[in-house]
Amino acid sequence: ISTSAAFLTLATDSWVGASGATTQTFPGLLDGDIVYARAQYRDVAGCVSGWQQTNGILIDLPPSSVTITLDGIFTDALYTATTTEMPAFWTPSSDPVSGIHHYEYAIGTASGATDVVSWTNVASLTSAAPTGLSLVHPQTYWFSVKAVNGRTISTISNASITIDLLAPPAPPVMTPMPVSGYSPTATCTVSCGAIVDPTSLAVQYWFEQCVDGTFTTVTASSGWATAPSFAFGNLTHQTQYWYRVKAQDLFFHQTGFSASVTTIQDLYPPVASGFTDIISENIDIDPVPGHFGDTYGAFSRDRTISFAPVNIYDDCSGNSNIYIEICRQTPVPSPFFNNWTPFPTPTWAPFIWTGTTGGFATFTVTIPALNDADVVFARAYYIDVAGNWAVVASAQITNGILIDLPPP
């Protein structure tokens, strides 16, 4: 056996038995190759005949497969809401030996099935648009294309599409905003519970923002996105915003809008004109100009000392807390204080004021370990209801209380 009519190169040669019949497989053969065979006959006595030769067998493999596009909203639709037609087109097949004779298509409820539309010849066309169908939700249908070559050898390719007639089951539910009703910074991230469409599974979300609560005018929106959350930016201080969300499946069936949630943006922390020792509680005598205590401005005859903010103010959500740090230096430090070791442990002083203007909120602490001639300092950071609070660099520091315990 050879691919050369002159048998210059043999694929195989062997005696095959008295019947003379043989089947051979040649993995290396290519489409368009011609295979030749010749035979000799030998009898029991060992006499061998001359050669008898075939006129060749042409190798004509099946046509190439095609890529089917089911024409929908997307380039290749996975889902459709059309129940009476199924437009489709496909890439041309090729067969270098006998060429493509014609194409056929069929539609079924399984890969290769023809229970909806039986095989239909469309000649050399590479598209079809069968109509008059009765497709149902949420069935998946298979569109099959058969490419047939000049020797009626065929290759079948297919693609599927699912009928989706319903929106996702319910509108999303917005995640509640902070209980306080305020949000810090100029960005607000809103979110909702993820929902699943039982047919197309994937869902997109659309978030909207307004400033009047009615959404008559939408001030910003997210556009359709797959994430069930969105960050709205460039928000304005002291402004109340409302948010809502809706969802859609892959074929754009939409839910209604969710109930809205609202929050007020508070961009800035509270401020105060100072954080000070409460002189009336800490001092024993008025400091005399030029005397030792003038460096610090206050004395205390015991280990209980008090501090307070002066004119604390927040123009939006209101004051909520003060973070207090207290430290000491012993013996009396120089006025250039730069060694901050908290003493005792830093703590939040949970003061909540009425309104936004505030006033004095005393923080009193007793420190048993204080010694005579220690100097106690305090510093504070202010926080509002929204959660804004000043950074360390803006902390306000008292000028120190000198501990003077024994009498003269």
Side-chain angles (χ1 to χ4, degrees):
I1 298 176
S2 175
T3 55
S4 165
F7 290 87
L8 300 177
T9 302
L10 295 181
T12 185
D13 64 330
S14 63
W15 293 101
V16 295
S19 69
T22 182
T23 299
Q24 300 288 332
T25 300
F26 302 100
L29 288 178
L30 303 176
D31 199 17
D33 283 350
I34 300 176
V35 179
Y36 299 89
R38 64 182 181 180
Q40 288 179 308
Y41 311 105
R42 185 177 64 188
D43 62 17
V44 176
C47 298
V48 178
S49 71
W51 291 103
Q52 288 184 322
Q53 182 174 330
T54 67
N55 59 358
I57 297 175
L58 175 65
I59 304 300
D60 190 355
L61 300 179
S64 63
S65 60
V66 302
T67 299
I68 304 170
T69 298
L70 298 176
D71 194 10
I73 298 299
F74 302 106
T75 302
D76 181 21
L78 300 176
Y79 304 90
T80 181
T82 301
T83 59
T84 59
E85 61 182 1
M86 190 179 294
F89 61 92
W90 53 90
T91 57
S93 178
S94 62
D95 189 305
V97 178
S98 59
I100 299 300
H101 183 266
H102 69 274
Y103 297 98
E104 299 176 22
Y105 76 86
I107 301 174
T109 54
S111 178
T114 61
D115 53 317
V116 177
V117 175
S118 58
W119 288 112
T120 303
N121 191 319
V122 292
S124 60
L125 297 178
T126 55
S127 64
T131 59
L133 308 178
S134 298
L135 310 180
V136 297
H137 173 91
Q139 178 67 51
T140 297
Y141 294 92
W142 295 80
F143 191 102
S144 300
V145 173
K146 181 189 295 184
V148 184
N149 71 7
R151 289 183 172 80
T152 69
I153 302 169
S154 62
T155 296
I156 297 177
S157 308
N158 50 55
S160 65
I161 193 167
T162 299
I163 306 302
D164 186 359
L165 303 180
L166 302 179
V173 177
M174 291 288 290
T175 302
M177 301 304 288
V179 175
S180 68
Y182 296 91
S183 296
T185 76
T187 299
C188 182
T189 299
V190 294
S191 61
C192 66
I195 61 175
V196 176
D197 182 87
T199 304
S200 58
L201 301 181
V203 170
Q204 295 177 317
Y205 302 89
W206 179 289
F207 292 89
E208 287 186 349
Q209 173 200 81
C210 77
V211 294
D212 62 2
T214 66
F215 292 91
T216 302
T217 300
V218 175
T219 53
S221 62
S222 63
W224 290 110
T226 57
S229 64
F230 185 76
F232 288 91
N234 301 314
L235 306 183
T236 304
H237 183 58
Q238 295 180 315
T239 301
Q240 184 171 8
Y241 295 92
W242 282 262
Y243 304 94
R244 66 181 184 178
V245 64
K246 63 180 178 180
Q248 70 176 12
D249 62 19
L250 286 184
F251 200 73
F252 307 133
H253 295 118
Q254 295 183 11
T255 68
F257 277 103
S258 68
S260 64
V261 296
T262 185
T263 184
I264 300 173
Q265 293 307 123
D266 184 353
L267 309 188
Y268 307 113
V271 295
S273 60
F275 185 66
T276 184
D277 316 315
I278 301 179
I279 302 301
S280 61
E281 297 192 25
N282 293 334
I283 198 166
D284 292 309
I285 58 174
D286 293 332
V288 179
H291 284 202
F292 176 74
D294 292 347
T295 299
Y296 308 106
F299 296 84
S300 179
R301 287 189 295 186
D302 55 33
R303 296 179 174 86
T304 299
I305 48 182
S306 300
F307 309 92
V310 179
N311 298 323
I312 189 167
Y313 175 77
D314 186 276
D315 66 352
C316 189
S317 63
N319 310 305
S320 174
N321 269 330
I322 304 177
Y323 187 67
I324 306 290
E325 287 183 330
I326 300 175
C327 75
R328 67 173 179 179
Q329 278 202 348
T330 181
V332 179
S334 70
F336 302 101
F337 182 81
N338 57 15
N339 180 22
W340 193 269
T341 303
F343 177 85
T345 303
T347 182
W348 280 107
F351 303 131
I352 301 179
W353 295 274
T354 302
T356 59
T357 56
F360 282 91
T362 304
F363 179 75
T364 300
V365 61
T366 299
I367 308 174
L370 285 177
N371 299 314
D372 197 29
D374 283 350
V375 179
V376 178
F377 294 84
R379 67 180 176 186
Y381 316 96
Y382 311 116
I383 185 171
D384 60 20
V385 173
N388 299 298
W389 63 306
V391 297
V392 173
S394 63
Q396 293 179 316
I397 303 175
T398 65
N399 59 357
I401 296 175
L402 177 65
I403 304 301
D404 188 1
L405 298 177

Coordinates of all heavy atoms in Angstrom, one line a residue, residues 308-343:
A308 N -11.3 70.6 79.7 CA -12.5 70.8 78.9 C -12.2 71.5 77.6 O -11.2 72.3 77.5 CB -13.5 71.6 79.6
P309 N -13.0 71.2 76.5 CA -12.8 72.0 75.3 C -13.5 73.3 75.4 O -14.4 73.5 76.2 CB -13.6 71.1 74.2 CG -14.6 70.4 75.0 CD -14.0 70.2 76.4
V310 N -13.0 74.3 74.6 CA -13.5 75.6 74.7 C -14.2 75.9 73.4 O -13.6 75.8 72.3 CB -12.4 76.7 75.0 CG1 -13.0 78.1 75.0 CG2 -11.7 76.3 76.3
N311 N -15.5 76.3 73.4 CA -16.3 76.7 72.2 C -16.2 75.6 71.1 O -16.0 75.9 70.0 CB -15.7 78.0 71.7 CG -15.9 79.2 72.6 OD1 -16.9 79.2 73.4 ND2 -14.9 80.0 72.7
I312 N -16.5 74.4 71.5 CA -16.5 73.3 70.5 C -17.7 73.5 69.7 O -18.8 73.8 70.1 CB -16.5 71.9 71.2 CG1 -16.3 70.8 70.2 CG2 -17.7 71.7 72.1 CD1 -15.9 69.5 70.7
Y313 N -17.6 73.1 68.4 CA -18.6 73.4 67.4 C -18.6 72.5 66.3 O -17.5 72.1 65.7 CB -18.5 74.9 66.9 CG -19.5 75.3 65.8 CD1 -20.8 75.6 66.1 CD2 -19.1 75.3 64.5 CE1 -21.7 75.9 65.1 CE2 -19.9 75.6 63.5 CZ -21.3 75.9 63.8 OH -22.1 76.3 62.8
D314 N -19.8 72.0 65.8 CA -19.9 71.2 64.6 C -21.1 71.7 63.9 O -22.2 71.8 64.4 CB -20.0 69.7 64.9 CG -20.0 68.9 63.7 OD1 -21.1 68.7 63.0 OD2 -18.9 68.3 63.3
D315 N -21.0 72.0 62.6 CA -22.0 72.7 61.9 C -23.0 71.8 61.1 O -23.9 72.2 60.4 CB -21.4 73.7 60.8 CG -20.7 73.0 59.7 OD1 -20.5 71.7 59.8 OD2 -20.3 73.7 58.8
C316 N -22.9 70.4 61.4 CA -23.8 69.5 60.7 C -24.3 68.5 61.6 O -25.4 68.6 62.1 CB -23.0 68.9 59.5 SG -24.1 67.9 58.4
S317 N -23.6 67.4 61.8 CA -24.2 66.2 62.6 C -24.1 66.4 64.1 O -24.8 65.7 64.8 CB -23.5 64.9 62.2 OG -22.1 65.0 62.5
G318 N -23.3 67.3 64.5 CA -23.2 67.6 66.0 C -22.0 66.8 66.6 O -21.5 65.8 66.1
N319 N -21.6 67.3 67.8 CA -20.5 66.7 68.5 C -20.9 65.4 69.1 O -22.1 65.2 69.5 CB -20.0 67.6 69.6 CG -19.8 69.0 69.1 OD1 -19.1 69.2 68.2 ND2 -20.5 70.0 69.7
S320 N -20.0 64.4 69.1 CA -20.3 63.1 69.7 C -19.3 62.7 70.8 O -19.7 62.3 71.8 CB -20.3 62.1 68.5 OG -20.4 60.8 69.1
N321 N -18.0 62.8 70.5 CA -17.0 62.3 71.4 C -15.8 63.2 71.4 O -15.5 63.9 70.4 CB -16.6 60.9 71.1 CG -17.5 59.9 71.8 OD1 -18.0 60.1 72.9 ND2 -17.6 58.7 71.2
I322 N -15.0 63.0 72.5 CA -13.7 63.6 72.5 C -12.7 62.4 72.9 O -13.0 61.6 73.7 CB -13.5 64.7 73.6 CG1 -14.5 65.8 73.4 CG2 -12.1 65.3 73.5 CD1 -14.4 66.9 74.4
Y323 N -11.6 62.4 72.1 CA -10.6 61.4 72.5 C -9.5 62.1 73.3 O -8.9 63.1 72.8 CB -10.0 60.8 71.2 CG -9.0 59.7 71.5 CD1 -9.5 58.5 72.0 CD2 -7.7 59.8 71.2 CE1 -8.6 57.4 72.2 CE2 -6.8 58.7 71.4 CZ -7.3 57.5 72.0 OH -6.4 56.5 72.2
I324 N -9.3 61.7 74.5 CA -8.4 62.3 75.4 C -7.2 61.5 75.6 O -7.2 60.3 75.9 CB -9.1 62.5 76.8 CG1 -10.5 63.2 76.7 CG2 -8.2 63.3 77.8 CD1 -10.4 64.7 76.3
E325 N -6.0 62.2 75.6 CA -4.8 61.6 76.0 C -4.2 62.4 77.1 O -4.2 63.7 77.0 CB -3.8 61.5 74.8 CG -4.1 60.4 73.8 CD -3.1 60.2 72.7 OE1 -2.5 61.2 72.4 OE2 -3.0 59.1 72.2
I326 N -3.6 61.8 78.1 CA -3.0 62.5 79.2 C -1.6 62.0 79.4 O -1.4 60.7 79.4 CB -3.9 62.3 80.5 CG1 -5.3 62.9 80.3 CG2 -3.2 63.0 81.7 CD1 -6.2 62.6 81.5
C327 N -0.7 62.9 79.7 CA 0.7 62.4 80.0 C 1.3 63.3 81.1 O 0.7 64.3 81.5 CB 1.5 62.4 78.8 SG 2.1 64.1 78.3
R328 N 2.4 62.8 81.6 CA 3.1 63.6 82.7 C 4.6 63.6 82.4 O 5.1 62.7 81.7 CB 2.9 63.0 84.1 CG 3.5 61.7 84.2 CD 3.4 61.2 85.7 NE 4.1 59.9 85.8 CZ 4.2 59.2 87.0 NH1 3.7 59.8 88.1 NH2 4.7 58.0 87.0
Q329 N 5.2 64.6 82.9 CA 6.7 64.7 82.9 C 7.2 65.0 84.3 O 6.6 65.8 85.0 CB 7.2 65.7 81.9 CG 7.3 65.2 80.5 CD 8.2 65.9 79.6 OE1 8.8 67.0 80.0 NE2 8.5 65.4 78.5
T330 N 8.2 64.3 84.7 CA 8.7 64.5 86.1 C 10.2 64.4 86.0 O 10.8 63.5 85.4 CB 8.1 63.5 87.1 OG1 8.7 63.8 88.3 CG2 8.4 62.1 86.7
P331 N 11.0 65.3 86.6 CA 10.5 66.5 87.3 C 9.9 67.6 86.3 O 9.7 67.2 85.2 CB 11.7 67.1 88.0 CG 12.8 66.6 87.1 CD 12.4 65.3 86.6
V332 N 9.8 68.8 86.7 CA 9.2 69.9 85.9 C 9.9 70.0 84.6 O 11.1 70.1 84.5 CB 9.2 71.2 86.6 CG1 8.6 72.3 85.7 CG2 8.5 71.1 87.9
P333 N 9.2 69.8 83.4 CA 9.9 69.8 82.1 C 10.1 71.3 81.6 O 9.6 72.2 82.2 CB 8.8 69.2 81.2 CG 7.5 69.5 81.8 CD 7.8 69.6 83.3
S334 N 10.9 71.4 80.6 CA 11.1 72.7 80.0 C 9.8 73.0 79.2 O 9.0 72.2 78.9 CB 12.2 72.6 79.0 OG 11.9 71.8 77.9
P335 N 9.6 74.3 78.9 CA 8.4 74.7 78.2 C 8.3 74.0 76.8 O 7.2 73.9 76.2 CB 8.5 76.2 78.0 CG 9.4 76.6 79.1 CD 10.4 75.4 79.3
F336 N 9.4 73.6 76.2 CA 9.4 72.9 74.9 C 9.1 71.5 75.1 O 10.0 70.6 75.1 CB 10.7 73.2 74.2 CG 11.1 74.6 74.1 CD1 12.0 75.2 74.9 CD2 10.5 75.4 73.1 CE1 12.3 76.6 74.8 CE2 10.8 76.7 72.9 CZ 11.7 77.3 73.8
F337 N 7.8 71.2 75.2 CA 7.4 69.8 75.5 C 7.3 69.0 74.1 O 6.6 69.4 73.2 CB 6.0 69.9 76.1 CG 5.5 68.5 76.5 CD1 5.9 67.9 77.6 CD2 4.6 67.9 75.6 CE1 5.4 66.7 78.0 CE2 4.1 66.6 76.0 CZ 4.5 66.0 77.2
N338 N 8.0 67.9 74.1 CA 8.0 67.1 72.8 C 8.1 65.6 73.1 O 8.3 64.9 72.2 CB 9.2 67.5 71.9 CG 10.5 67.4 72.6 OD1 10.6 66.8 73.6 ND2 11.5 68.0 72.0
N339 N 7.9 65.2 74.3 CA 8.0 63.8 74.6 C 6.6 63.3 75.1 O 6.3 63.4 76.3 CB 9.1 63.5 75.6 CG 9.2 62.0 76.0 OD1 8.8 61.2 75.2 ND2 9.7 61.7 77.2
W340 N 5.8 62.8 74.2 CA 4.4 62.5 74.5 C 4.3 61.0 74.8 O 4.3 60.2 74.0 CB 3.5 62.9 73.4 CG 2.1 62.9 73.8 CD1 1.2 61.9 73.8 CD2 1.4 64.0 74.4 NE1 0.0 62.2 74.3 CE2 0.1 63.5 74.7 CE3 1.7 65.3 74.8 CZ2 -0.9 64.3 75.3 CZ3 0.8 66.0 75.4 CH2 -0.5 65.6 75.6
T341 N 4.2 60.7 76.1 CA 3.9 59.3 76.5 C 2.6 59.3 77.3 O 2.5 59.9 78.3 CB 5.0 58.8 77.5 OG1 6.3 58.9 76.8 CG2 4.8 57.4 77.9
P342 N 1.6 58.7 76.7 CA 0.2 58.7 77.3 C 0.3 58.2 78.7 O 0.9 57.2 79.0 CB -0.6 57.9 76.4 CG 0.1 57.9 75.1 CD 1.5 58.0 75.4
F343 N -0.4 58.9 79.6 CA -0.5 58.5 81.0 C -1.8 59.1 81.6 O -1.9 60.3 81.6 CB 0.7 58.9 81.8 CG 0.6 58.6 83.3 CD1 1.0 57.3 83.7 CD2 0.1 59.4 84.2 CE1 0.9 57.0 85.0 CE2 0.0 59.1 85.5 CZ 0.4 57.9 86.0

